[in-house]
Amino acid sequence: MRIVIVGGVAGGASAAARARRLSEDAEIVVFERGPDVSLASCGLPYYIGGTITDRTKLLAATPDRLRNRFRLDVRTGTAVESIDRSAKTVTVREMRSGRVYQHPYDKLILAPGAAPMRPPIPGIDHPAVHTLRNLHDVDRILSRLDAGARRAVVVGAGFIGLEMAENLVQRGIATALVELQDQVLPPLDPEMTAPILESLRSHGVTVVLSQSAEQFEPSGDGVKVVLKSGERMPADLVMLCIGVRPENRLAVDAGLAVGARGGVQVNEHLQSSDPDIYAVGDVIEVRDVVTGEPSQIPLAGPANRQGRLAADHIFGRAARFRGAQGTAIVGVFERTAAMTGASEKTLRRLQRPFRKAYVHPGHHAGYYPGAEAMAIKILFEPDTGKLLGAQIVGGAGVDKRIDILSVAIQAGMTVFDLEEMELAYAPQYGSAKDPINMVGFVAAGLIRGDHPQCDVESLLAMPPEVRPALVDVRTPQEFAAGRIPGAINIPVDELRSRLGELRRDRRWAAYCQAGQRGYIATRILRQRGFDVVNVGGGFRTYRMHFPDAD
Ligand code: FAD
């Protein structure tokens, strides 16, 4: 069996190593255009920022190691230029010598990844304007920084844009972040990103939302980033982090089917429209397991697993890729944001019915020092409670909870399963009622009708004449420090004795800080005959929706 692999990083290197583990006899050739294989792309921002200091650590394996341990024929500096499907050969070019030759295959695996987008913005080729994908990019960026760059503009506030902003700040660079949408981290729902925005600003990052870079105007050694508003932001370094596009040229030229967003279309075995050509990683279109829609999910985990599965299938195993759900996490200074499955935005776009629940627990027991708050949002089917998506923002413990929720979605679990979930507990790690149980209690209570609830944003969007009156059941001190406009304050512990202050001929919405006292108040008032709902997630969720309100 002659296996040829195009691209030697996440998907390609995984496929090659797995193929060798399955067959000592196969001839396995990996063509990699760049100088490195098995590059840890995800570590690059942290090498630029100085957290990772040893460059060699970014290379999980060298070509020599792949040759010696796996007897792989790794040809770096060699680009595959075309595929002849009828002859079953690829044409390759050695970058340094210019030598061009054909190489035969029985099975071809395409793992060329995705390239950073570089739209035709005037001035984009100025030496101050950079993208980040490999060590060559890193070297160019570092030489710019070492030459005295002091001001940076990062265009795009997605995962890589945020990581770059943080790492530039770590290096003492005055950093601005420009984002087209009206929020940072556009894959998440806007309210869940409020703590990240606050964190960026508190570390001195100038964040400009709802703006696009229209031009890079030369200015001294650097540029002025001209925004749509006309504002000009001076920069010695511009990082363009506005997304990636699949490197599909080989596939398109070979007549393989690609999807609307350019991803190579594959079946569940990762075979393209030509069954002898597999495709894995950022270059492919995958099925989103929650929405069922075709999607581009450029993440390292799926790429690695797909490489392995493609090799399994080539060697006759019944390997199937079941799709992806976009489980992702990012650290921004002291905060962490993570998501899995569908967002509220996506469910609304697809007009898919859903309900949602918010909780704001500590990451471990409150009585043990150092508990850090997190906000969890889950989305679920209104009738069955089946989980559709989750987002978490906080500090410690976010990683563990998002992975639990990711697995729950993969297993088709419901909010009732979250209530029952058995999780490890000692005070420094979690709570006897873990945040996962808590969000399950709230969501399951909603479905059971124990716990009538409303969303703060829908509540405040109601015309005043139909909007329920607000009763804030926190302490007077909490109330004085900030409240939802129009609320009256009756602390939950005084509620039973002050019922006379609440009119019975109108609807009420009770809220507290995070939802739990509001829930207790709702239970008290309903049993006394009041028409009342709890404001989901309480004042903390209100603050996430309306961070600039008084
Ligand atoms: P790649 O890793 O891009 O590898 C493709 C390789 O193919 C490249 O080396 C390229 O040179 C080579 N190639 C392309 N065309 C040819 C050709 N014609 N001939 C020969 N070789 C070719 N994902 C996460 O899950 N978590 C993270 O924290 C994270 N952080 C990231 C940070 C950065 C800065 C970047 C750039 C990416 C990050 N990612 C992260 C995404 C992750 O790195 C990718 O999803 C993953 O590397 C995709 O693997 P791949 O094998 O499809 O493509």
Side-chain angles (χ1 to χ4, degrees), residues 516-528:
Q516 204 185 10
R517 283 171 290 171
Y519 167 53
I520 295 166
T522 309
R523 296 297 305 157
I524 293 171
L525 291 172
R526 287 188 82 78
Q527 292 180 62
R528 300 298 171 114

PDB file of all heavy atoms in Angstrom, residues 516-528:
ATOM      1  N   GLN A 516     -30.685  31.950  42.944  1.00  0.00           N
ATOM      2  CA  GLN A 516     -31.163  30.977  43.931  1.00  0.00           C
ATOM      3  C   GLN A 516     -32.155  31.585  44.925  1.00  0.00           C
ATOM      4  O   GLN A 516     -33.212  31.010  45.191  1.00  0.00           O
ATOM      5  CB  GLN A 516     -29.983  30.375  44.690  1.00  0.00           C
ATOM      6  CG  GLN A 516     -30.380  29.032  45.247  1.00  0.00           C
ATOM      7  CD  GLN A 516     -29.301  28.430  46.116  1.00  0.00           C
ATOM      8  OE1 GLN A 516     -28.317  29.080  46.453  1.00  0.00           O
ATOM      9  NE2 GLN A 516     -29.489  27.185  46.479  1.00  0.00           N
ATOM     10  N   ARG A 517     -31.846  32.788  45.439  1.00  0.00           N
ATOM     11  CA  ARG A 517     -32.797  33.431  46.359  1.00  0.00           C
ATOM     12  C   ARG A 517     -34.060  33.841  45.603  1.00  0.00           C
ATOM     13  O   ARG A 517     -35.169  33.812  46.151  1.00  0.00           O
ATOM     14  CB  ARG A 517     -32.150  34.647  47.044  1.00  0.00           C
ATOM     15  CG  ARG A 517     -31.203  34.258  48.171  1.00  0.00           C
ATOM     16  CD  ARG A 517     -30.421  35.466  48.660  1.00  0.00           C
ATOM     17  NE  ARG A 517     -29.440  35.926  47.688  1.00  0.00           N
ATOM     18  CZ  ARG A 517     -28.750  37.059  47.779  1.00  0.00           C
ATOM     19  NH1 ARG A 517     -28.959  37.888  48.777  1.00  0.00           N
ATOM     20  NH2 ARG A 517     -27.864  37.392  46.863  1.00  0.00           N
ATOM     21  N   GLY A 518     -33.895  34.202  44.328  1.00  0.00           N
ATOM     22  CA  GLY A 518     -35.071  34.518  43.504  1.00  0.00           C
ATOM     23  C   GLY A 518     -35.964  33.302  43.359  1.00  0.00           C
ATOM     24  O   GLY A 518     -37.203  33.403  43.372  1.00  0.00           O
ATOM     25  N   TYR A 519     -35.347  32.140  43.256  1.00  0.00           N
ATOM     26  CA  TYR A 519     -36.098  30.885  43.158  1.00  0.00           C
ATOM     27  C   TYR A 519     -36.873  30.632  44.449  1.00  0.00           C
ATOM     28  O   TYR A 519     -38.070  30.325  44.433  1.00  0.00           O
ATOM     29  CB  TYR A 519     -35.104  29.759  42.860  1.00  0.00           C
ATOM     30  CG  TYR A 519     -35.625  28.354  43.029  1.00  0.00           C
ATOM     31  CD1 TYR A 519     -36.782  27.937  42.394  1.00  0.00           C
ATOM     32  CD2 TYR A 519     -34.938  27.429  43.816  1.00  0.00           C
ATOM     33  CE1 TYR A 519     -37.255  26.631  42.540  1.00  0.00           C
ATOM     34  CE2 TYR A 519     -35.389  26.138  43.967  1.00  0.00           C
ATOM     35  CZ  TYR A 519     -36.550  25.741  43.335  1.00  0.00           C
ATOM     36  OH  TYR A 519     -37.015  24.462  43.483  1.00  0.00           O
ATOM     37  N   ILE A 520     -36.192  30.839  45.596  1.00  0.00           N
ATOM     38  CA  ILE A 520     -36.878  30.623  46.883  1.00  0.00           C
ATOM     39  C   ILE A 520     -38.036  31.610  47.010  1.00  0.00           C
ATOM     40  O   ILE A 520     -39.157  31.250  47.397  1.00  0.00           O
ATOM     41  CB  ILE A 520     -35.873  30.788  48.054  1.00  0.00           C
ATOM     42  CG1 ILE A 520     -34.818  29.685  47.975  1.00  0.00           C
ATOM     43  CG2 ILE A 520     -36.581  30.759  49.411  1.00  0.00           C
ATOM     44  CD1 ILE A 520     -33.601  29.926  48.843  1.00  0.00           C
ATOM     45  N   ALA A 521     -37.795  32.875  46.640  1.00  0.00           N
ATOM     46  CA  ALA A 521     -38.858  33.891  46.714  1.00  0.00           C
ATOM     47  C   ALA A 521     -40.030  33.503  45.817  1.00  0.00           C
ATOM     48  O   ALA A 521     -41.197  33.648  46.191  1.00  0.00           O
ATOM     49  CB  ALA A 521     -38.286  35.242  46.288  1.00  0.00           C
ATOM     50  N   THR A 522     -39.710  32.989  44.641  1.00  0.00           N
ATOM     51  CA  THR A 522     -40.768  32.582  43.708  1.00  0.00           C
ATOM     52  C   THR A 522     -41.614  31.476  44.324  1.00  0.00           C
ATOM     53  O   THR A 522     -42.845  31.485  44.235  1.00  0.00           O
ATOM     54  CB  THR A 522     -40.134  32.091  42.384  1.00  0.00           C
ATOM     55  OG1 THR A 522     -39.221  33.077  41.937  1.00  0.00           O
ATOM     56  CG2 THR A 522     -41.166  31.873  41.304  1.00  0.00           C
ATOM     57  N   ARG A 523     -40.930  30.528  44.966  1.00  0.00           N
ATOM     58  CA  ARG A 523     -41.671  29.419  45.601  1.00  0.00           C
ATOM     59  C   ARG A 523     -42.574  29.950  46.734  1.00  0.00           C
ATOM     60  O   ARG A 523     -43.723  29.552  46.873  1.00  0.00           O
ATOM     61  CB  ARG A 523     -40.708  28.362  46.160  1.00  0.00           C
ATOM     62  CG  ARG A 523     -39.853  27.642  45.136  1.00  0.00           C
ATOM     63  CD  ARG A 523     -40.619  26.826  44.127  1.00  0.00           C
ATOM     64  NE  ARG A 523     -41.512  25.864  44.737  1.00  0.00           N
ATOM     65  CZ  ARG A 523     -42.586  25.330  44.150  1.00  0.00           C
ATOM     66  NH1 ARG A 523     -42.905  25.678  42.914  1.00  0.00           N
ATOM     67  NH2 ARG A 523     -43.345  24.463  44.773  1.00  0.00           N
ATOM     68  N   ILE A 524     -42.040  30.872  47.539  1.00  0.00           N
ATOM     69  CA  ILE A 524     -42.851  31.437  48.640  1.00  0.00           C
ATOM     70  C   ILE A 524     -44.073  32.140  48.052  1.00  0.00           C
ATOM     71  O   ILE A 524     -45.221  31.902  48.449  1.00  0.00           O
ATOM     72  CB  ILE A 524     -42.012  32.447  49.469  1.00  0.00           C
ATOM     73  CG1 ILE A 524     -40.885  31.732  50.203  1.00  0.00           C
ATOM     74  CG2 ILE A 524     -42.908  33.231  50.451  1.00  0.00           C
ATOM     75  CD1 ILE A 524     -39.874  32.679  50.866  1.00  0.00           C
ATOM     76  N   LEU A 525     -43.824  33.012  47.077  1.00  0.00           N
ATOM     77  CA  LEU A 525     -44.906  33.857  46.565  1.00  0.00           C
ATOM     78  C   LEU A 525     -45.958  33.034  45.809  1.00  0.00           C
ATOM     79  O   LEU A 525     -47.161  33.296  45.924  1.00  0.00           O
ATOM     80  CB  LEU A 525     -44.326  34.944  45.657  1.00  0.00           C
ATOM     81  CG  LEU A 525     -43.490  36.009  46.391  1.00  0.00           C
ATOM     82  CD1 LEU A 525     -42.795  36.934  45.403  1.00  0.00           C
ATOM     83  CD2 LEU A 525     -44.362  36.815  47.351  1.00  0.00           C
ATOM     84  N   ARG A 526     -45.514  32.044  45.072  1.00  0.00           N
ATOM     85  CA  ARG A 526     -46.505  31.237  44.340  1.00  0.00           C
ATOM     86  C   ARG A 526     -47.432  30.504  45.316  1.00  0.00           C
ATOM     87  O   ARG A 526     -48.623  30.391  45.084  1.00  0.00           O
ATOM     88  CB  ARG A 526     -45.812  30.238  43.414  1.00  0.00           C
ATOM     89  CG  ARG A 526     -45.188  30.913  42.210  1.00  0.00           C
ATOM     90  CD  ARG A 526     -44.680  29.923  41.200  1.00  0.00           C
ATOM     91  NE  ARG A 526     -45.754  29.426  40.333  1.00  0.00           N
ATOM     92  CZ  ARG A 526     -46.261  30.111  39.310  1.00  0.00           C
ATOM     93  NH1 ARG A 526     -45.803  31.317  39.031  1.00  0.00           N
ATOM     94  NH2 ARG A 526     -47.210  29.590  38.568  1.00  0.00           N
ATOM     95  N   GLN A 527     -46.830  30.015  46.407  1.00  0.00           N
ATOM     96  CA  GLN A 527     -47.674  29.293  47.366  1.00  0.00           C
ATOM     97  C   GLN A 527     -48.619  30.238  48.109  1.00  0.00           C
ATOM     98  O   GLN A 527     -49.602  29.805  48.698  1.00  0.00           O
ATOM     99  CB  GLN A 527     -46.801  28.516  48.350  1.00  0.00           C
ATOM    100  CG  GLN A 527     -46.078  27.366  47.636  1.00  0.00           C
ATOM    101  CD  GLN A 527     -45.210  26.570  48.567  1.00  0.00           C
ATOM    102  OE1 GLN A 527     -45.711  25.967  49.516  1.00  0.00           O
ATOM    103  NE2 GLN A 527     -43.914  26.590  48.315  1.00  0.00           N
ATOM    104  N   ARG A 528     -48.323  31.541  48.068  1.00  0.00           N
ATOM    105  CA  ARG A 528     -49.231  32.542  48.662  1.00  0.00           C
ATOM    106  C   ARG A 528     -50.148  33.138  47.601  1.00  0.00           C
ATOM    107  O   ARG A 528     -50.738  34.190  47.813  1.00  0.00           O
ATOM    108  CB  ARG A 528     -48.430  33.676  49.305  1.00  0.00           C
ATOM    109  CG  ARG A 528     -47.499  33.221  50.408  1.00  0.00           C
ATOM    110  CD  ARG A 528     -48.259  32.599  51.568  1.00  0.00           C
ATOM    111  NE  ARG A 528     -47.334  32.001  52.503  1.00  0.00           N
ATOM    112  CZ  ARG A 528     -47.151  32.445  53.743  1.00  0.00           C
ATOM    113  NH1 ARG A 528     -47.847  33.431  54.196  1.00  0.00           N
ATOM    114  NH2 ARG A 528     -46.286  31.845  54.520  1.00  0.00           N
TER     115      ARG A 528
END
